[in-house]
Amino acid sequence: MPTIEYIVNKKKVPGVTTILSRFKLSTPLIIWANRLGLEGKDYFKELNKAGDIGTELHNLAELHIKNEHYDLPEDETVKNCFNQFLDWWDKSNYQVTWTEKPYASKKLFYGGCPDLLVNGNTLIDFKTSKGIYLDYLIQLSAYAALIKEVDGIEIEQAIIVRFPKDNDTTEFATFSKADLKAAFKQFKLFRKAFDIDKDLNKLMRKKNG
């Protein structure tokens, strides 16, 4: 889906992933970039490729869930991820509440677009990454808070379903309401730090100008 702009009081606010990416642990990316360099691959091309695979998987999954028309992917990596999705989804028995619904918070001034809500109060997020990381839990906690603020729905559990690009072993991680509540404490700190960081960078640009 296209990039979403989140607006509160006629002003653009940052998305959850934008906030988290500012404070994301860089070590795994450094290790990955080093390995790509040793293999003679371009880091930025591979990074964009990885992002494209994730985006295409999300688009195909949404169309399949909504019973809308789609063409099967030609890319073998995307096809592998999508086949994993189909195998998982066709075995599940979820009642779909909605897919890809954008939200914006008037309390903390941020936005987000969760992947999937099922059974009224279970949040699901799709990943095609190398693993399941802490920032995914924090991301889901921010989504859960958005849903509660805007729709008044208390998320009882959140599930990350990872469809890896390099094998066929789908991975799951389930988080409780208590897990989400604990992680949201971290997100609120990141949200505050994001604005402070933005202001400090403006200050430095003026000093260097």
Side-chain angles (χ1 to χ4, degrees):
M1 64 185 303
T3 302
I4 298 172
E5 284 196 352
Y6 303 105
I7 307 296
V8 175
N9 299 332
K10 298 182 180 180
K11 293 184 178 180
K12 185 178 177 181
V13 297
V16 173
T17 54
T18 298
I19 294 168
L20 294 181
S21 65
R22 184 65 189 87
F23 306 101
K24 190 177 182 69
L25 181 65
S26 60
T27 302
L29 284 177
I30 292 172
I31 294 172
W32 183 53
N34 182 65
R35 179 172 60 81
L36 291 175
L38 292 173
E39 295 173 357
K41 296 179 180 178
D42 184 277
Y43 167 73
F44 293 103
K45 286 183 179 179
E46 294 299 317
L47 185 64
N48 289 332
K49 181 180 178 181
D52 291 342
I53 290 170
T55 298
E56 192 164 355
L57 183 277
H58 277 79
N59 292 339
L60 288 166
E62 182 182 17
L63 291 170
H64 183 81
I65 290 169
K66 295 167 71 174
N67 292 316
E68 296 183 4
H69 173 75
Y70 59 85
D71 295 318
L72 291 173
E74 295 182 1
D75 183 276
E76 288 299 322
T77 305
V78 177
K79 187 182 298 183
N80 175 52
C81 293
F82 187 54
N83 284 336
Q84 291 179 65
F85 163 80
L86 292 175
D87 184 61
W88 164 74
W89 182 252
D90 291 344
K91 291 178 181 176
S92 68
N93 192 32
Y94 292 123
Q95 296 297 313
V96 177
T97 306
W98 48 249
T99 66
E100 299 280 357
K101 185 175 180 180
Y103 289 90
S105 170
K106 294 181 179 180
K107 294 180 179 179
L108 294 180
F109 301 100
Y110 73 95
C113 187
D115 288 343
L116 178 65
L117 187 71
V118 299
N119 299 347
N121 58 14
T122 296
L123 186 60
I124 297 179
D125 195 68
F126 305 135
K127 300 296 182 186
T128 58
S129 53
K130 288 283 185 180
I132 294 176
Y133 307 111
L134 172 59
D135 55 310
Y136 296 167
L137 168 57
I138 299 173
Q139 178 185 13
L140 286 173
S141 77
Y143 289 162
L146 285 170
I147 294 168
K148 183 177 181 179
E149 178 185 336
V150 178
D151 289 341
I153 297 173
E154 188 85 45
I155 298 300
E156 294 298 324
Q157 66 173 348
I159 304 171
I160 292 173
V161 188
R162 186 176 76 92
F163 308 108
K165 297 184 283 286
D166 52 358
N167 61 60
D168 298 319
T169 305
T170 304
E171 185 179 2
F172 307 90
T174 301
F175 302 99
S176 67
K177 183 163 60 175
D179 296 331
L180 296 170
K181 184 177 180 180
F184 191 57
K185 293 178 182 178
Q186 182 71 52
F187 178 78
K188 287 189 288 186
L189 292 174
F190 283 154
R191 179 65 191 92
K192 183 180 292 186
F194 183 87
D195 285 342
I196 294 172
D197 181 77
K198 186 177 180 180
D199 290 341
L200 288 175
N201 274 289
K202 286 182 179 178
L203 174 64
M204 292 305 298
R205 284 195 295 271
K206 289 181 180 178
K207 295 295 182 181
N208 292 329

